[in-house]
Amino acid sequence: MNAVRYGDYSRDVSGWFLGMTGAQLALVTLAGVPALLALNAQTWGLLLVWLPVWALLAAVLLVPVRGRAAGRWFADLCLHAIGGATGWTVFGSRAASGTAEDLSEADLPGVLAGIRTHDGPPYGQLFTRPVIVQNSAARTWAAVARINHPGIGLAEPGERDRMGAGLAEMCEIAARTELIDVLAVQVRTVPDDGAERAAWERAHTRSDAAFLAVRVNALLGATLTPAAVRTEAFVTVVVGESRIGRAAKESGGGVDGRARVLHGVMAEVESALRGPVGCTAVTWLDSAALAAAVRTGFAPGDRGQLIAADLAAANGAQLATGVPMAAAGPSQARAELRHYVHDAWASVTDTILLPDSGAVLGALAPVLVPTTAGERRCLTVFLAPLPLDRATRMVGREEMSATTGNELRARMGFRQRARQRRDTERIGAADEKLAAGRALVRPAVAACITVPATWPVDEHGRRLAASVRAAGFVPLRLDLAQDSGFAAAAIPLGVGLPDRRGRR
């Protein structure tokens, strides 16, 4: 029995005319006006001079180079240079400088600067208080859960297909709520620090143990612990202010009103995670747990100290545990052209483009496998369910664009290519599924590798790209936006990728 191959997706943005958006079509048309005027006036010299200029301008506006047009590259490079000259690409925390006044207030760099956290009202039967994450810049509210899942590596094909269907069902539930903007599923493969093993050894070591047994155990720990990894997963539910605002007023308004509405969404997502998706545990994070998750996102090596302190406090030791939200971010951070430096660590982030041939569930597993002891890898999948009316308009526009392009190619005598036929069939299949009540979901994937800053960062970035290609996908480095990419791929706060749509 073969696993199901998922390939029923199409281009995220289809242009209004021959793949061009409205802005591109207007600019190309305006650039061609001098040529038309010269043709009308029969000024052949001016026409011959302007035609190559028109073609060059069209190429700059339309031809993508590593995901962006040449004009977009130039604009982004200018913005990055301005940011470097004004100091915007360098971050220093208030806690490191000793100017932090409120330790519960988040102090994070870049696109995370607008993050604020609030302790919500009691939730669930245990009356826990999950933290509510407010992003003032994006005008969103979010809640973060740590999940435990048995994985699909040893699952039978039938069970794997059921989990895939459960994930699709969760996306449909999210679309039907008409509240959820994004579901972000993040998986981290973290080098094992041996904190739990060391605590267990201290608690179970016998004074009369044989010297040889103690020596062998120490050698095994010293050899195997650096090569071992731990896996942790998070799910972030993001709700936009435009969707939650009216319902929040009916629930009392303010942060508590938004938290009560968000609690209902969290309950629906949790039921889907525990049920068809197959999670064995779903724990919504409070302020302390979220601060630790953010801190270990920026500094993977700090996890051992945090776990050791928690275990010692549980055994009665009098010491401080956890980390305040004001110190959860990096002390120093700097955005380079092709990587991101944060404290003693450096990260490289790639986006992942979907292959035309489709993929099976779990195909991205090689991306999470470290190639060297000490690497930390992160993978975040953003699932944005679209409302039914918006999805219907989008599919109708794509169908119109595909039909217009096929008719023009047929009249011009060009043969329809296999990829064009496949895209047309995919659009028709999406229309049929929407009519049957299924949801249209916009996916995005970001992968990140983090290593000590003294290591060759570019080499490990190439290894990440090689792992993406080995999984059957196409990597795309987020040049000039590595800080934003790292926040999306490694920090579970619901901050997504820049809203620029390209191939998929």
Side-chain angles (χ1 to χ4, degrees):
M1 181 177 179
N2 295 325
V4 175
R5 178 171 289 272
Y6 299 92
D8 192 9
Y9 45 78
S10 61
R11 188 183 299 272
D12 186 11
V13 173
S14 293
W16 292 92
F17 182 75
L18 294 179
M20 291 185 290
T21 63
Q24 289 175 333
L25 180 60
L27 290 174
V28 172
T29 303
L30 288 176
V33 168
L36 296 177
L37 293 177
L39 179 63
N40 185 49
Q42 297 184 357
T43 310
W44 309 117
L46 178 60
L47 178 63
L48 293 177
V49 170
W50 187 254
L51 282 179
V53 177
W54 187 17
L56 179 61
L57 291 175
V60 168
L61 292 171
L62 301 178
V63 178
V65 180
R66 294 185 60 83
R68 305 180 218 179
R72 174 63 66 180
W73 273 111
F74 180 74
D76 291 346
L77 187 60
C78 291
L79 291 176
H80 189 277
I82 294 173
T86 55
W88 295 343
T89 58
V90 179
F91 169 80
S93 69
R94 292 191 294 267
S97 62
T99 59
E101 298 179 357
D102 186 2
L103 294 181
S104 63
E105 183 178 351
D107 182 22
L108 301 174
V111 294
L112 300 175
I115 294 294
R116 297 293 180 267
T117 58
H118 310 275
D119 290 326
Y123 168 77
Q125 298 178 350
L126 300 179
F127 295 99
T128 58
R129 301 190 66 184
V131 62
I132 306 300
V133 181
Q134 178 187 7
N135 190 340
S136 302
R139 301 185 73 247
T140 59
W141 302 81
V144 186
R146 184 188 300 272
I147 63 174
N148 294 334
H149 194 276
I152 62 175
L154 300 178
E156 296 293 332
E159 184 180 0
R160 182 180 300 183
D161 294 342
R162 285 193 297 272
M163 291 181 182
L167 182 61
E169 181 180 341
M170 184 176 70
C171 292
E172 292 172 5
I173 291 174
R176 287 195 292 269
T177 63
E178 296 185 351
L179 289 173
I180 297 178
D181 280 350
V182 176
L183 285 173
V185 182
Q186 182 177 119
V187 182
R188 295 178 182 172
T189 302
V190 186
D192 193 357
D193 46 56
E196 289 89 345
R197 175 186 173 87
W200 187 90
E201 287 181 347
R202 286 193 300 268
H204 295 83
T205 299
R206 298 175 52 180
S207 58
D208 58 345
F211 173 77
L212 181 59
V214 173
R215 181 62 177 168
V216 169
N217 184 68
L219 289 175
L220 287 175
T223 304
L224 298 180
T225 299
V229 296
R230 303 178 64 89
T231 301
E232 52 187 10
F234 303 91
V235 171
T236 305
V237 181
V238 183
V239 177
E241 173 64 28
S242 60
R243 298 189 181 188
I244 200 177
R246 179 176 297 179
K249 290 181 181 178
E250 298 173 356
S251 300
V255 176
D256 286 351
R258 286 160 176 79
R260 294 186 186 99
V261 177
L262 197 56
H263 285 176
V265 175
M266 291 158 53
E268 294 188 56
V269 173
E270 182 176 350
S271 63
L273 289 171
R274 292 181 180 273
V277 177
C279 294
T280 57
V282 179
T283 305
W284 296 99
L285 303 184
D286 57 12
S287 296
L290 180 63
V294 172
R295 182 58 191 166
T296 54
F298 281 102
D302 287 0
R303 180 189 177 276
Q305 302 174 13
L306 296 174
I307 295 298
D310 290 339
L311 294 175
N315 291 330
Q318 299 295 324
L319 75 167
T321 60
V323 59
M325 184 58 73
S331 301
Q332 299 287 334
R334 185 177 69 258
E336 301 289 352
L337 291 178
R338 305 205 71 195
H339 66 274
Y340 182 55
V341 180
H342 42 100
D343 288 340
W345 304 85
S347 299
V348 174
T349 305
D350 287 354
T351 52
I352 298 178
L353 305 181
L354 299 176
D356 292 331
S357 58
V360 299
L361 188 66
L364 285 170
V367 181
L368 291 169
V369 178
T371 57
T372 304
E375 284 184 357
R376 197 277 304 275
R377 295 201 176 194
C378 301
L379 179 71
T380 304
V381 180
F382 299 93
L383 303 172
L386 301 180
L388 179 59
D389 54 349
R390 183 179 177 185
T392 303
R393 290 196 304 269
M394 182 178 295
V395 172
R397 187 166 62 244
E398 291 176 350
E399 189 172 7
M400 182 188 305
S401 177
T403 302
T404 303
N406 292 335
E407 290 181 355
L408 286 176
R409 279 187 289 267
R411 294 195 177 191
M412 296 173 64
F414 293 104
R415 182 180 177 183
Q416 191 178 22
R417 306 295 298 273
R419 176 175 294 182
Q420 296 162 356
R421 289 195 302 269
R422 186 167 60 244
D423 290 342
T424 304
E425 293 172 359
R426 286 174 176 173
I427 294 172
D431 192 20
E432 292 290 338
K433 292 185 177 182
L434 280 178
R438 306 301 294 270
L440 184 64
V441 178
R442 171 182 286 144
V445 187
C448 173
I449 184 171
T450 301
V451 297
T454 55
W455 291 15
V457 182
D458 291 336
E459 172 61 26
H460 288 275
R462 285 190 288 270
R463 294 183 184 183
L464 175 64
S467 298
V468 174
R469 287 190 293 268
F473 295 80
V474 181
L476 184 61
R477 180 78 67 89
L478 282 177
D479 295 330
L480 306 177
Q482 283 291 308
D483 53 343
S484 302
F486 173 81
I491 308 300
L493 290 177
V495 175
L497 295 171
D499 192 15
R500 292 179 183 172
R501 304 300 173 183
R503 289 178 51 186
R504 286 290 184 263

PDB file of all heavy atoms in Angstrom, residues 57-69:
ATOM      1  N   LEU A  57      13.054  47.082 -19.481  1.00  0.00           N
ATOM      2  CA  LEU A  57      12.172  47.441 -18.371  1.00  0.00           C
ATOM      3  C   LEU A  57      11.187  46.320 -18.066  1.00  0.00           C
ATOM      4  O   LEU A  57      10.898  46.029 -16.892  1.00  0.00           O
ATOM      5  CB  LEU A  57      11.415  48.731 -18.709  1.00  0.00           C
ATOM      6  CG  LEU A  57      12.256  50.011 -18.770  1.00  0.00           C
ATOM      7  CD1 LEU A  57      11.394  51.186 -19.235  1.00  0.00           C
ATOM      8  CD2 LEU A  57      12.872  50.319 -17.412  1.00  0.00           C
ATOM      9  N   ALA A  58      10.658  45.671 -19.096  1.00  0.00           N
ATOM     10  CA  ALA A  58       9.737  44.557 -18.872  1.00  0.00           C
ATOM     11  C   ALA A  58      10.431  43.405 -18.161  1.00  0.00           C
ATOM     12  O   ALA A  58       9.862  42.761 -17.271  1.00  0.00           O
ATOM     13  CB  ALA A  58       9.151  44.094 -20.209  1.00  0.00           C
ATOM     14  N   ALA A  59      11.699  43.134 -18.550  1.00  0.00           N
ATOM     15  CA  ALA A  59      12.445  42.064 -17.887  1.00  0.00           C
ATOM     16  C   ALA A  59      12.707  42.392 -16.424  1.00  0.00           C
ATOM     17  O   ALA A  59      12.606  41.533 -15.542  1.00  0.00           O
ATOM     18  CB  ALA A  59      13.763  41.816 -18.625  1.00  0.00           C
ATOM     19  N   VAL A  60      13.029  43.659 -16.145  1.00  0.00           N
ATOM     20  CA  VAL A  60      13.276  44.066 -14.752  1.00  0.00           C
ATOM     21  C   VAL A  60      12.012  43.926 -13.918  1.00  0.00           C
ATOM     22  O   VAL A  60      12.059  43.542 -12.737  1.00  0.00           O
ATOM     23  CB  VAL A  60      13.797  45.517 -14.724  1.00  0.00           C
ATOM     24  CG1 VAL A  60      13.792  46.070 -13.299  1.00  0.00           C
ATOM     25  CG2 VAL A  60      15.191  45.589 -15.311  1.00  0.00           C
ATOM     26  N   LEU A  61      10.860  44.181 -14.513  1.00  0.00           N
ATOM     27  CA  LEU A  61       9.606  44.132 -13.773  1.00  0.00           C
ATOM     28  C   LEU A  61       9.030  42.730 -13.657  1.00  0.00           C
ATOM     29  O   LEU A  61       8.335  42.426 -12.671  1.00  0.00           O
ATOM     30  CB  LEU A  61       8.569  45.038 -14.449  1.00  0.00           C
ATOM     31  CG  LEU A  61       8.830  46.546 -14.385  1.00  0.00           C
ATOM     32  CD1 LEU A  61       7.840  47.275 -15.273  1.00  0.00           C
ATOM     33  CD2 LEU A  61       8.736  47.048 -12.946  1.00  0.00           C
ATOM     34  N   LEU A  62       9.307  41.853 -14.640  1.00  0.00           N
ATOM     35  CA  LEU A  62       8.586  40.589 -14.715  1.00  0.00           C
ATOM     36  C   LEU A  62       9.437  39.358 -14.455  1.00  0.00           C
ATOM     37  O   LEU A  62       8.937  38.377 -13.896  1.00  0.00           O
ATOM     38  CB  LEU A  62       7.933  40.447 -16.106  1.00  0.00           C
ATOM     39  CG  LEU A  62       6.947  41.547 -16.510  1.00  0.00           C
ATOM     40  CD1 LEU A  62       6.432  41.297 -17.917  1.00  0.00           C
ATOM     41  CD2 LEU A  62       5.794  41.629 -15.526  1.00  0.00           C
ATOM     42  N   VAL A  63      10.709  39.365 -14.847  1.00  0.00           N
ATOM     43  CA  VAL A  63      11.513  38.148 -14.767  1.00  0.00           C
ATOM     44  C   VAL A  63      11.992  37.932 -13.334  1.00  0.00           C
ATOM     45  O   VAL A  63      12.703  38.786 -12.784  1.00  0.00           O
ATOM     46  CB  VAL A  63      12.715  38.219 -15.729  1.00  0.00           C
ATOM     47  CG1 VAL A  63      13.567  36.973 -15.594  1.00  0.00           C
ATOM     48  CG2 VAL A  63      12.223  38.386 -17.159  1.00  0.00           C
ATOM     49  N   PRO A  64      11.614  36.815 -12.688  1.00  0.00           N
ATOM     50  CA  PRO A  64      12.058  36.582 -11.310  1.00  0.00           C
ATOM     51  C   PRO A  64      13.488  36.060 -11.267  1.00  0.00           C
ATOM     52  O   PRO A  64      13.892  35.230 -12.079  1.00  0.00           O
ATOM     53  CB  PRO A  64      11.069  35.530 -10.793  1.00  0.00           C
ATOM     54  CG  PRO A  64      10.635  34.790 -12.025  1.00  0.00           C
ATOM     55  CD  PRO A  64      10.670  35.780 -13.157  1.00  0.00           C
ATOM     56  N   VAL A  65      14.255  36.561 -10.313  1.00  0.00           N
ATOM     57  CA  VAL A  65      15.615  36.100 -10.056  1.00  0.00           C
ATOM     58  C   VAL A  65      15.661  35.651  -8.599  1.00  0.00           C
ATOM     59  O   VAL A  65      15.592  36.488  -7.692  1.00  0.00           O
ATOM     60  CB  VAL A  65      16.650  37.216 -10.312  1.00  0.00           C
ATOM     61  CG1 VAL A  65      18.055  36.702 -10.033  1.00  0.00           C
ATOM     62  CG2 VAL A  65      16.538  37.728 -11.739  1.00  0.00           C
ATOM     63  N   ARG A  66      15.719  34.335  -8.381  1.00  0.00           N
ATOM     64  CA  ARG A  66      15.685  33.777  -7.023  1.00  0.00           C
ATOM     65  C   ARG A  66      14.503  34.327  -6.236  1.00  0.00           C
ATOM     66  O   ARG A  66      14.630  34.774  -5.094  1.00  0.00           O
ATOM     67  CB  ARG A  66      17.001  34.050  -6.295  1.00  0.00           C
ATOM     68  CG  ARG A  66      18.196  33.332  -6.903  1.00  0.00           C
ATOM     69  CD  ARG A  66      19.447  33.534  -6.060  1.00  0.00           C
ATOM     70  NE  ARG A  66      19.255  33.028  -4.709  1.00  0.00           N
ATOM     71  CZ  ARG A  66      19.395  31.753  -4.333  1.00  0.00           C
ATOM     72  NH1 ARG A  66      19.723  30.850  -5.244  1.00  0.00           N
ATOM     73  NH2 ARG A  66      19.207  31.394  -3.081  1.00  0.00           N
ATOM     74  N   GLY A  67      13.340  34.262  -6.865  1.00  0.00           N
ATOM     75  CA  GLY A  67      12.103  34.600  -6.178  1.00  0.00           C
ATOM     76  C   GLY A  67      11.672  36.049  -6.256  1.00  0.00           C
ATOM     77  O   GLY A  67      10.542  36.364  -5.884  1.00  0.00           O
ATOM     78  N   ARG A  68      12.543  36.950  -6.713  1.00  0.00           N
ATOM     79  CA  ARG A  68      12.171  38.357  -6.789  1.00  0.00           C
ATOM     80  C   ARG A  68      12.584  38.930  -8.141  1.00  0.00           C
ATOM     81  O   ARG A  68      13.580  38.496  -8.717  1.00  0.00           O
ATOM     82  CB  ARG A  68      12.846  39.176  -5.687  1.00  0.00           C
ATOM     83  CG  ARG A  68      12.614  38.687  -4.283  1.00  0.00           C
ATOM     84  CD  ARG A  68      13.333  39.556  -3.267  1.00  0.00           C
ATOM     85  NE  ARG A  68      13.879  38.764  -2.180  1.00  0.00           N
ATOM     86  CZ  ARG A  68      14.572  39.242  -1.176  1.00  0.00           C
ATOM     87  NH1 ARG A  68      14.825  40.534  -1.117  1.00  0.00           N
ATOM     88  NH2 ARG A  68      15.047  38.459  -0.225  1.00  0.00           N
ATOM     89  N   ALA A  69      11.830  39.909  -8.594  1.00  0.00           N
ATOM     90  CA  ALA A  69      12.212  40.615  -9.817  1.00  0.00           C
ATOM     91  C   ALA A  69      13.407  41.510  -9.529  1.00  0.00           C
ATOM     92  O   ALA A  69      13.703  41.860  -8.388  1.00  0.00           O
ATOM     93  CB  ALA A  69      11.037  41.429 -10.340  1.00  0.00           C
TER      94      ALA A  69
END
